Amino acid sequence: GGSGAAGRAMIRAFVALSLPEPVLDALAALQQGMPAPRVVPVENLHLTLAFLGEVDETALEEAHHAFQRIAAPGFDLRLSGLGMFGGARPRALYAGVVESAPLRHLQGKVETAARNAGIAIDARRFVPHVTLARLNAARLDKPRMAHFMAGRMGFSSPAMTVTDFRLLRSHLGPSGASYDELARYPLQ
């Protein structure tokens, strides 16, 4: 029993798919020579289904129970192509995902479960992706980046079979983020 809201630790959490070794190897190769200041370490690469943000333990517990009740089939997935978020002021470089109905189905269920647990989730359209690097628009060497991307637009990862989704906690440290797995939920 804590002493109300003040005694409550907030947890920065998100729900994601982890990536198998062959896919991580392909992404690490893709990151070679990337003209970006902050390339995401290979152990941090993942596909986010829902960013929960800063939530308290009670809400997280509720969400956890809701995630346990999700029934969705496992499926195959492949990453393909590169893109940037941020338009004229790019902030991230990512690998895209081949369109997948089962992925959208699962993501919708995760988002609904989190909302039903009282967690406010951004109502942005879900764009499945794996963030490869964080960009600083002011310092971006645009011609170099354009050249880098042009040579890799045909990127395609090995296919992966998604058998579960995971609840992760994010710690923001001086050297960037690190993630702990809190739970995993099997698919059918």
Side-chain angles (χ1 to χ4, degrees), residues 16-20 70 72-77 106 160-166 184-188:
L17 302 180
S18 67
L19 306 171
I70 289 177
F75 53 94
D76 287 342
L77 198 61
L106 174 61
M160 57 188 263
T161 301
V162 179
T163 56
D164 63 36
F165 64 98
R166 302 178 187 194
R184 69 177 70 174
Y185 312 95
L187 296 172
Q188 290 149 341

Side-chain angles (χ1 to χ4, degrees), residues 50-116:
F51 181 67
L52 307 181
E54 302 275 349
V55 291
D56 68 44
E57 288 171 30
T58 314
L60 199 59
E61 194 65 29
E62 288 269 310
H64 168 63
H65 292 307
F67 297 150
Q68 284 179 314
R69 290 193 294 270
I70 289 177
F75 53 94
D76 287 342
L77 198 61
R78 187 187 286 275
L79 306 183
S80 174
L82 286 179
M84 278 199 269
F85 285 126
R89 297 186 57 74
R91 59 177 188 275
L93 176 68
Y94 66 87
V97 178
V98 175
E99 185 52 50
S100 162
L103 173 62
R104 291 197 176 274
H105 174 74
L106 174 61
Q107 194 275 337
K109 287 196 157 188
V110 167
E111 202 165 286
T112 301
R115 285 216 172 93
N116 291 345

Side-chain angles (χ1 to χ4, degrees), residues 33-49:
M34 201 172 260
R38 289 191 296 161
V39 172
V40 177
V42 78
E43 65 273 13
N44 281 2
L45 295 172
H46 61 270
L47 196 165
T48 300
L49 296 176

